[in-house]
Short mmCIF file of all heavy atoms in Angstrom, two decimals:
data_model
loop_
_atom_site.label_atom_id
_atom_site.label_comp_id
_atom_site.label_asym_id
_atom_site.label_seq_id
_atom_site.Cartn_x
_atom_site.Cartn_y
_atom_site.Cartn_z
N ALA U 56 6.97 28.78 -25.87
CA ALA U 56 6.08 27.99 -25.02
C ALA U 56 5.05 28.91 -24.37
O ALA U 56 5.38 30.00 -23.91
CB ALA U 56 6.87 27.26 -23.94
N ALA U 57 3.80 28.45 -24.36
CA ALA U 57 2.76 29.14 -23.61
C ALA U 57 2.80 28.62 -22.17
O ALA U 57 2.60 27.43 -21.94
CB ALA U 57 1.39 28.89 -24.24
N VAL U 58 3.12 29.53 -21.26
CA VAL U 58 3.19 29.15 -19.84
C VAL U 58 2.17 29.95 -19.02
O VAL U 58 2.31 30.09 -17.81
CB VAL U 58 4.62 29.30 -19.27
CG1 VAL U 58 5.57 28.33 -19.97
CG2 VAL U 58 5.14 30.73 -19.41
N LYS U 59 1.17 30.45 -19.71
CA LYS U 59 0.08 31.18 -19.05
C LYS U 59 -0.66 30.26 -18.08
O LYS U 59 -0.55 29.03 -18.18
CB LYS U 59 -0.88 31.71 -20.12
CG LYS U 59 -1.47 30.61 -21.00
CD LYS U 59 -2.18 31.18 -22.23
CE LYS U 59 -2.68 30.04 -23.10
NZ LYS U 59 -3.34 30.52 -24.33
N TYR U 63 -0.54 26.04 -17.40
CA TYR U 63 -1.69 25.15 -17.49
C TYR U 63 -1.85 24.34 -16.18
O TYR U 63 -2.18 23.15 -16.20
CB TYR U 63 -1.59 24.22 -18.70
CG TYR U 63 -1.64 24.91 -20.06
CD1 TYR U 63 -0.97 26.10 -20.29
CD2 TYR U 63 -2.36 24.36 -21.12
CE1 TYR U 63 -1.03 26.74 -21.53
CE2 TYR U 63 -2.41 24.99 -22.37
CZ TYR U 63 -1.74 26.18 -22.56
OH TYR U 63 -1.78 26.80 -23.78
N PHE U 83 5.34 32.77 -23.35
CA PHE U 83 4.10 33.53 -23.52
C PHE U 83 3.20 33.36 -22.30
O PHE U 83 2.90 32.23 -21.90
CB PHE U 83 3.34 33.03 -24.75
CG PHE U 83 3.97 33.43 -26.06
CD1 PHE U 83 5.01 32.67 -26.60
CD2 PHE U 83 3.55 34.57 -26.74
CE1 PHE U 83 5.60 33.05 -27.81
CE2 PHE U 83 4.14 34.94 -27.94
CZ PHE U 83 5.16 34.18 -28.48
N ALA U 85 -0.49 35.29 -20.39
CA ALA U 85 -1.65 36.10 -20.75
C ALA U 85 -1.57 37.49 -20.11
O ALA U 85 -1.81 38.50 -20.75
CB ALA U 85 -2.95 35.39 -20.36
N MET U 109 0.35 38.26 -23.74
CA MET U 109 -0.57 38.16 -24.88
C MET U 109 -1.75 39.12 -24.80
O MET U 109 -2.33 39.48 -25.82
CB MET U 109 -1.03 36.72 -25.06
CG MET U 109 0.13 35.82 -25.51
SD MET U 109 -0.35 34.22 -26.14
CE MET U 109 -0.81 33.40 -24.63
N HIS U 110 -2.13 39.53 -23.60
CA HIS U 110 -3.23 40.50 -23.50
C HIS U 110 -2.77 41.93 -23.77
O HIS U 110 -3.60 42.83 -23.80
CB HIS U 110 -3.87 40.45 -22.12
CG HIS U 110 -4.69 39.22 -21.89
ND1 HIS U 110 -5.40 39.00 -20.74
CD2 HIS U 110 -4.90 38.13 -22.65
CE1 HIS U 110 -6.01 37.83 -20.81
NE2 HIS U 110 -5.72 37.28 -21.96
N VAL U 128 2.05 41.95 -26.46
CA VAL U 128 1.42 41.64 -27.74
C VAL U 128 0.34 42.71 -27.89
O VAL U 128 -0.61 42.76 -27.11
CB VAL U 128 0.79 40.23 -27.73
CG1 VAL U 128 0.02 39.98 -29.03
CG2 VAL U 128 1.87 39.17 -27.53
N GLN U 154 -0.57 41.60 -32.95
CA GLN U 154 -1.46 40.49 -33.29
C GLN U 154 -2.55 40.95 -34.24
O GLN U 154 -3.15 42.00 -34.05
CB GLN U 154 -2.10 39.89 -32.03
CG GLN U 154 -3.08 38.76 -32.38
CD GLN U 154 -3.39 37.82 -31.24
OE1 GLN U 154 -3.56 36.62 -31.45
NE2 GLN U 154 -3.48 38.32 -30.03
N MET U 159 -10.57 34.38 -35.92
CA MET U 159 -11.10 33.84 -34.66
C MET U 159 -12.00 34.85 -33.94
O MET U 159 -12.75 34.49 -33.04
CB MET U 159 -9.92 33.44 -33.77
CG MET U 159 -10.32 32.64 -32.55
SD MET U 159 -8.86 32.04 -31.70
CE MET U 159 -9.65 31.34 -30.25
N ARG U 161 -11.31 37.19 -31.78
CA ARG U 161 -11.09 37.24 -30.33
C ARG U 161 -10.11 38.34 -29.95
O ARG U 161 -10.41 39.20 -29.14
CB ARG U 161 -10.60 35.88 -29.84
CG ARG U 161 -10.43 35.80 -28.34
CD ARG U 161 -9.87 34.47 -27.88
NE ARG U 161 -8.47 34.29 -28.23
CZ ARG U 161 -7.68 33.36 -27.70
NH1 ARG U 161 -8.16 32.53 -26.78
NH2 ARG U 161 -6.42 33.24 -28.06
N MET U 162 -8.92 38.29 -30.54
CA MET U 162 -7.88 39.26 -30.20
C MET U 162 -7.21 39.72 -31.48
O MET U 162 -7.11 38.99 -32.46
CB MET U 162 -6.81 38.60 -29.32
CG MET U 162 -7.31 37.93 -28.08
SD MET U 162 -7.15 38.96 -26.65
CE MET U 162 -5.45 38.62 -26.24
N MET U 188 1.77 38.37 -35.38
CA MET U 188 1.24 37.14 -34.80
C MET U 188 -0.25 37.01 -35.09
O MET U 188 -0.96 38.01 -35.21
CB MET U 188 1.47 37.21 -33.28
CG MET U 188 0.78 36.16 -32.46
SD MET U 188 1.27 36.37 -30.70
CE MET U 188 -0.27 35.84 -29.95
N SER U 189 -0.71 35.77 -35.24
CA SER U 189 -2.15 35.52 -35.26
C SER U 189 -2.37 34.15 -34.62
O SER U 189 -1.41 33.46 -34.27
CB SER U 189 -2.71 35.57 -36.68
OG SER U 189 -4.12 35.58 -36.65
N HIS U 190 -3.64 33.80 -34.43
CA HIS U 190 -3.94 32.58 -33.68
C HIS U 190 -5.00 31.78 -34.44
O HIS U 190 -5.96 32.36 -34.98
CB HIS U 190 -4.45 32.96 -32.29
CG HIS U 190 -4.53 31.82 -31.32
ND1 HIS U 190 -3.51 30.91 -31.16
CD2 HIS U 190 -5.49 31.46 -30.44
CE1 HIS U 190 -3.85 30.03 -30.22
NE2 HIS U 190 -5.05 30.35 -29.78
N LEU U 191 -4.81 30.47 -34.49
CA LEU U 191 -5.71 29.60 -35.25
C LEU U 191 -6.92 29.17 -34.41
O LEU U 191 -6.77 28.82 -33.24
CB LEU U 191 -4.94 28.35 -35.71
CG LEU U 191 -3.77 28.63 -36.66
CD1 LEU U 191 -2.86 27.40 -36.76
CD2 LEU U 191 -4.29 29.03 -38.04
N GLU U 195 -6.86 21.98 -34.23
CA GLU U 195 -6.82 20.56 -33.83
C GLU U 195 -7.59 19.68 -34.81
O GLU U 195 -7.41 18.47 -34.83
CB GLU U 195 -7.32 20.38 -32.39
CG GLU U 195 -8.80 20.57 -32.16
CD GLU U 195 -9.22 22.04 -32.15
OE1 GLU U 195 -8.34 22.93 -32.19
OE2 GLU U 195 -10.43 22.30 -32.13
N SER U 222 4.49 34.62 -36.41
CA SER U 222 4.17 33.52 -35.51
C SER U 222 2.68 33.22 -35.60
O SER U 222 1.84 34.10 -35.38
CB SER U 222 4.54 33.90 -34.06
OG SER U 222 4.16 32.87 -33.17
N LEU U 223 2.35 31.99 -35.95
CA LEU U 223 0.94 31.62 -36.11
C LEU U 223 0.54 30.40 -35.29
O LEU U 223 -0.55 30.37 -34.73
CB LEU U 223 0.67 31.34 -37.61
CG LEU U 223 -0.75 30.93 -38.00
CD1 LEU U 223 -1.75 32.03 -37.67
CD2 LEU U 223 -0.83 30.61 -39.50
N ALA U 224 1.41 29.41 -35.18
CA ALA U 224 0.96 28.10 -34.70
C ALA U 224 0.99 27.95 -33.18
O ALA U 224 1.97 28.30 -32.52
CB ALA U 224 1.82 27.00 -35.33
N ASN U 225 -0.07 27.39 -32.65
CA ASN U 225 -0.09 26.84 -31.28
C ASN U 225 0.32 25.36 -31.41
O ASN U 225 0.84 24.94 -32.45
CB ASN U 225 -1.48 27.01 -30.67
CG ASN U 225 -2.54 26.22 -31.43
OD1 ASN U 225 -2.34 25.83 -32.57
ND2 ASN U 225 -3.66 25.97 -30.79
N SER U 226 0.05 24.55 -30.38
CA SER U 226 0.43 23.13 -30.43
C SER U 226 -0.10 22.46 -31.69
O SER U 226 0.64 21.86 -32.47
CB SER U 226 -0.16 22.37 -29.23
OG SER U 226 0.31 22.88 -28.03
N SER U 227 -1.41 22.55 -31.87
CA SER U 227 -2.04 21.85 -32.99
C SER U 227 -1.56 22.40 -34.31
O SER U 227 -1.41 21.65 -35.29
CB SER U 227 -3.56 21.96 -32.89
OG SER U 227 -4.00 21.45 -31.65
N GLY U 228 -1.31 23.70 -34.37
CA GLY U 228 -0.83 24.33 -35.60
C GLY U 228 0.50 23.75 -36.06
O GLY U 228 0.76 23.66 -37.27
N ILE U 229 1.34 23.34 -35.11
CA ILE U 229 2.63 22.74 -35.48
C ILE U 229 2.39 21.49 -36.33
O ILE U 229 3.12 21.22 -37.28
CB ILE U 229 3.44 22.38 -34.21
CG1 ILE U 229 3.84 23.67 -33.48
CG2 ILE U 229 4.67 21.53 -34.56
CD1 ILE U 229 4.48 23.43 -32.11
N VAL U 240 6.88 29.32 -33.06
CA VAL U 240 5.62 28.66 -32.70
C VAL U 240 5.41 28.78 -31.20
O VAL U 240 6.35 29.02 -30.43
CB VAL U 240 5.59 27.18 -33.15
CG1 VAL U 240 5.71 27.08 -34.67
CG2 VAL U 240 6.71 26.37 -32.47
N ARG U 241 4.14 28.64 -30.77
CA ARG U 241 3.77 28.94 -29.38
C ARG U 241 2.98 27.78 -28.77
O ARG U 241 1.83 27.95 -28.38
CB ARG U 241 2.90 30.20 -29.33
CG ARG U 241 3.38 31.38 -30.15
CD ARG U 241 2.45 32.56 -30.00
NE ARG U 241 1.07 32.29 -30.37
CZ ARG U 241 0.57 32.41 -31.60
NH1 ARG U 241 1.32 32.82 -32.60
NH2 ARG U 241 -0.70 32.12 -31.83
N PRO U 242 3.54 26.60 -28.66
CA PRO U 242 2.77 25.49 -28.11
C PRO U 242 2.56 25.64 -26.60
O PRO U 242 3.42 26.16 -25.89
CB PRO U 242 3.65 24.27 -28.40
CG PRO U 242 5.04 24.82 -28.37
CD PRO U 242 4.93 26.19 -28.98
N GLY U 243 1.42 25.17 -26.14
CA GLY U 243 1.16 25.05 -24.72
C GLY U 243 0.73 23.62 -24.43
O GLY U 243 1.53 22.76 -24.03
N ALA U 244 -0.52 23.32 -24.72
CA ALA U 244 -1.15 22.06 -24.32
C ALA U 244 -0.31 20.82 -24.65
O ALA U 244 -0.19 19.91 -23.81
CB ALA U 244 -2.52 21.96 -24.98
N ALA U 245 0.25 20.75 -25.85
CA ALA U 245 0.99 19.54 -26.23
C ALA U 245 2.21 19.34 -25.35
O ALA U 245 2.57 18.20 -25.02
CB ALA U 245 1.40 19.60 -27.71
N LEU U 246 2.84 20.44 -24.93
CA LEU U 246 3.98 20.32 -24.02
C LEU U 246 3.56 19.61 -22.74
O LEU U 246 4.35 18.90 -22.12
CB LEU U 246 4.51 21.71 -23.65
CG LEU U 246 5.26 22.48 -24.74
CD1 LEU U 246 5.53 23.91 -24.26
CD2 LEU U 246 6.57 21.77 -25.08
N TYR U 247 2.31 19.83 -22.35
CA TYR U 247 1.83 19.30 -21.07
C TYR U 247 1.10 17.96 -21.24
O TYR U 247 0.46 17.48 -20.32
CB TYR U 247 0.95 20.35 -20.38
CG TYR U 247 1.64 21.71 -20.39
CD1 TYR U 247 1.06 22.83 -20.97
CD2 TYR U 247 2.93 21.85 -19.86
CE1 TYR U 247 1.72 24.05 -21.02
CE2 TYR U 247 3.60 23.06 -19.91
CZ TYR U 247 2.99 24.16 -20.49
OH TYR U 247 3.66 25.36 -20.55
N VAL U 249 -1.34 17.06 -23.59
CA VAL U 249 -2.67 17.02 -24.23
C VAL U 249 -2.50 16.65 -25.71
O VAL U 249 -1.57 17.12 -26.37
CB VAL U 249 -3.38 18.38 -24.08
CG1 VAL U 249 -4.68 18.43 -24.87
CG2 VAL U 249 -3.63 18.69 -22.61
N TYR U 373 -7.40 20.87 -21.67
CA TYR U 373 -6.93 22.17 -21.17
C TYR U 373 -7.64 22.53 -19.86
O TYR U 373 -7.03 23.08 -18.94
CB TYR U 373 -7.27 23.29 -22.17
CG TYR U 373 -6.60 23.25 -23.51
CD1 TYR U 373 -6.89 22.25 -24.44
CD2 TYR U 373 -5.73 24.26 -23.89
CE1 TYR U 373 -6.31 22.27 -25.70
CE2 TYR U 373 -5.15 24.28 -25.15
CZ TYR U 373 -5.45 23.27 -26.05
OH TYR U 373 -4.88 23.29 -27.29
C1 PLP O 26 -2.95 29.67 -25.29
C2 PLP O 26 -2.38 30.17 -26.55
C3 PLP O 26 -1.40 29.43 -27.22
C4 PLP O 26 -1.04 28.00 -26.83
O1 PLP O 26 -2.08 27.18 -27.33
P1 PLP O 26 -2.09 25.60 -27.17
O2 PLP O 26 -3.31 25.18 -27.91
O3 PLP O 26 -2.17 25.30 -25.72
O4 PLP O 26 -0.84 25.07 -27.78
C5 PLP O 26 -0.79 30.01 -28.32
N1 PLP O 26 -1.16 31.24 -28.76
C6 PLP O 26 -2.13 31.96 -28.17
C7 PLP O 26 -2.49 33.29 -28.70
C8 PLP O 26 -2.78 31.45 -27.05
O5 PLP O 26 -3.77 32.14 -26.49
#
Side-chain angles (χ1 to χ4, degrees):
V58 296
K59 58 192 177 182
Y63 295 41
F83 288 84
M109 292 194 287
H110 288 183
V128 175
Q154 177 160 216
M159 190 172 174
R161 184 183 71 165
M162 306 262 277
M188 169 177 147
S189 191
H190 192 46
L191 298 165
E195 71 284 353
S222 177
L223 180 62
N225 63 342
S226 299
S227 303
I229 293 172
V240 298
R241 314 181 302 272
L246 289 172
Y247 312 122
V249 173
Y373 295 67

